[in-house]
Amino acid sequence: MQLTVWTYEGPPHVGAMRIATALEDVHYVLHAPQGDTYADLLFTMIERRAKRPPVTYTTFQARDLGGDTADLFKAAARDAFARFQPKAMLVGASCTAELIQDDPGGLAKALALPIPVVALELPSYQKKENWGASETFYRLVRALAGPHAPAPGTKRAAREPGVRARCNLLGPTALGFRHRDDVAEIVKLLDSIGIDVDIVAPLGATAADIARLGEADICVPLYPEIAGQAAAWLAKTFDQTLVRTVPIGVGATREFVAEIAAAAGLDASAILADMPTRAPWYSKSVDSNYLTGKRVFVFGDATHAIAAARIAARELGFTVVGLGTYSREFAREVREAAKLYGIEALITDDYLEVEAKVAELQPELVLGTQMERHIAKRQGVPCAVISAPVHVQDFPARYSPQMGFEGANVLFDTWVHPLMMGLEEHLLTMFRGDFEFHDGAGSSHLGAGKSHAPANAAAEKPTPAQDAPIVVAAAPAAAGPIVPVWAADAEKELKKIPFFVRGKARRNTERFSVERGVAVITVETLYDAKAHFGR
Ligand code: SF4
């Protein structure tokens, strides 16, 4: 077993908790030792949920292990039913309780509760959180919708003329990365096409909703890591049309609209002709120095990582230098996607490997999870979060979807701004010796000469030598005076620097070259000078 401080995913019973917590009237009885209740904090602290997850723990202690822990479980399940009156119950064991082999499923069955009880077999030492969520949702869907399944091979009856197509959105959970806002965005988008969303599950669904998931015409697994398995079963069992495109980014949203409109027999050309998003124009209008060719490293769950790489390369003009996932179940899809960018996918759940890769590739932007946010911070690289694992700031009060056309706007803002800030920061370090830009200079909009410099700022004032004109004769005596010339590509690179600081960059680079006896300034010299003055 590998011990680590951080992990991308929790154990599978945390995945099961995410499903139970998303639902309205389903309770989860978890055989777990005292201490495992920490998982509640994930929901109330990080997601700011107003109520505790619907989970009852048996909370056995060390001294209980010599006695009858099976009885403890039965009592907990009986009490949970009496107290919470759920419409369905999930039962299972946490990692530690799995070792005492009490069989929660069999024990719950012996109680003969008057509601459906779904026993979860979640092997904690082999599987992780997303798999646990997927398995839980699949088992629950089979248990509740299964009794309503038509005979195998039955075809869906044609819709009455004038009746709008109905679709289910599957996969959003509690503690999901922007799931709440994604659902709102996609419901709005589908309404504009002429499609009704019948059930969103598990987020906000009841046990009765799950039981009638087979009624809709179309089934959309918005988060394939969580809903792919259940959606495939529903589509096959109830002859529903499966729409597989995940609408993240302008291109994918267009494809999603076209695919689901075709499934509903509708024409979406008006919506596609008049997309309500500013992202494409904004990405064209931004100074290409900010975006074009920026080297970006992408890591996250498989769906978000694949989508992010596509948007980065095709919609923003970045160069994808790294792509990876911790979702081992989707390794094949991520490897295929990586081939599109001529790179090899990084499939790992060891954040140290990811950190080493970021250090090796030295990207200019990291698009990753909260783990990569920490990694990027340590390495001084701008970063935007694109995927779970989540942090409290991934549940903003404002509306902030990742999916659909508004999601594309949000992605543009979130990914481009760190780069702009990065540029500003490098200018600040490069020109901090300049009379206009040094740390003590007051803001220009507050009027010339108004400085907020600390009392000792005089000591930090640029020395005359720094501002003095370049004295070419200061070059090494043996080599004689050197007048460095600019290579064409370096001159071109220089032009990418904003005009208001370009003169300073030119002078600094020339001084740097003279001091080192460099006769021809190349792009490399320009960046060496930048690094030198940025220290
Ligand atoms: S991202 Fe937030 S929750 Fe995760 S380790 Fe950092 S501080 Fe803790």
Side-chain angles (χ1 to χ4, degrees), residues 6 45-46 370-371 373-374 389-392:
W6 293 345
M45 186 183 81
I46 295 184
Q370 282 299 328
M371 310 276 260
R373 188 173 69 95
H374 288 295
V390 286
H391 177 41
V392 64

Side-chain angles (χ1 to χ4, degrees), residues 112-178:
L113 297 173
I115 52 167
V117 175
V118 180
L120 301 174
E121 297 283 341
L122 307 177
S124 300
Y125 299 96
Q126 293 149 35
K127 300 289 187 181
K128 299 228 161 154
E129 182 177 327
N130 274 342
W131 184 89
S134 166
E135 179 70 7
T136 302
F137 189 50
Y138 171 64
R139 293 284 156 208
L140 189 70
V141 167
R142 283 199 70 150
L144 301 186
H148 306 280
T154 307
K155 288 285 155 211
R156 174 165 292 277
R159 269 194 329 279
E160 297 289 325
V163 173
R164 282 164 59 117
R166 287 190 297 166
C167 112
N168 294 330
L169 302 180
L170 304 181
T173 63
L175 215 57
F177 184 72
R178 307 291 168 84

Side-chain angles (χ1 to χ4, degrees), residues 86-385:
K87 296 291 184 294
M89 190 182 271
L90 300 166
V91 297
S94 76
C95 328
T96 331
E98 201 183 324
L99 300 173
I100 56 176
Q101 299 180 328
D102 269 342
D103 183 20
L107 294 169
K109 204 169 169 195
L111 294 176
L113 297 173
I115 52 167
V117 175
V118 180
L120 301 174
E121 297 283 341
L122 307 177
S124 300
Y125 299 96
Q126 293 149 35
K127 300 289 187 181
K128 299 228 161 154
E129 182 177 327
N130 274 342
W131 184 89
S134 166
E135 179 70 7
T136 302
F137 189 50
Y138 171 64
R139 293 284 156 208
L140 189 70
V141 167
R142 283 199 70 150
L144 301 186
H148 306 280
T154 307
K155 288 285 155 211
R156 174 165 292 277
R159 269 194 329 279
E160 297 289 325
V163 173
R164 282 164 59 117
R166 287 190 297 166
C167 112
N168 294 330
L169 302 180
L170 304 181
T173 63
L175 215 57
F177 184 72
R178 307 291 168 84
H179 289 192
R180 177 190 63 192
D181 295 345
D182 283 350
V183 166
E185 187 61 22
I186 298 306
V187 169
K188 216 162 48 176
L189 176 64
L190 292 176
D191 182 52
S192 71
I193 303 172
I195 298 170
D196 288 334
V197 172
D198 193 17
I199 296 166
V200 175
L203 196 63
T206 62
D209 290 334
I210 302 287
R212 54 179 204 84
L213 278 176
E215 292 175 11
D217 312 288
I218 302 165
C219 177
V220 183
L222 276 185
Y223 304 96
E225 279 89 345
I226 291 166
Q229 197 186 3
W233 179 81
L234 283 162
K236 188 163 152 255
T237 309
F238 293 93
D239 190 29
Q240 294 178 327
T241 308
L242 200 55
V243 170
R244 289 190 186 274
T245 306
V246 177
I248 304 179
V250 175
T253 300
R254 289 181 65 88
E255 284 167 24
F256 172 80
V257 168
E259 190 181 346
I260 201 161
L266 295 167
D267 177 9
S269 48
I271 287 167
L272 293 177
D274 190 21
M275 295 181 298
T277 174
R278 294 181 201 95
W281 163 244
Y282 268 44
S283 53
K284 271 190 237 161
S285 73
V286 174
D287 184 335
S288 64
N289 291 326
Y290 290 144
L291 305 181
T292 311
K294 285 282 178 217
R295 304 173 72 256
V296 59
F297 177 86
V298 184
F299 196 88
D301 69 24
T303 303
H304 285 87
I306 292 171
R310 175 182 167 169
I311 298 162
R314 297 203 202 149
E315 296 175 21
L316 297 179
F318 296 153
T319 302
V320 178
V321 294
L323 172 61
T325 186
Y326 57 83
S327 313
R328 290 187 178 276
E329 291 87 358
F330 289 75
R332 190 175 54 79
E333 286 86 340
V334 178
R335 286 201 177 97
E336 286 302 308
K339 281 188 202 155
L340 299 174
Y341 313 106
I343 52 178
E344 203 175 314
L346 175 65
I347 313 293
T348 181
D349 56 7
D350 180 349
Y351 72 92
L352 293 173
E353 256 186 72
V354 181
E355 179 153 24
K357 198 70 184 171
V358 175
E360 177 200 322
L361 293 171
Q362 302 216 327
E364 290 160 279
L365 176 68
V366 169
L367 300 174
T369 72
Q370 282 299 328
M371 310 276 260
E372 282 67 49
R373 188 173 69 95
H374 288 295
I375 289 169
K377 201 169 177 184
R378 272 200 297 279
Q379 299 193 15
V381 184
C383 176
V385 176

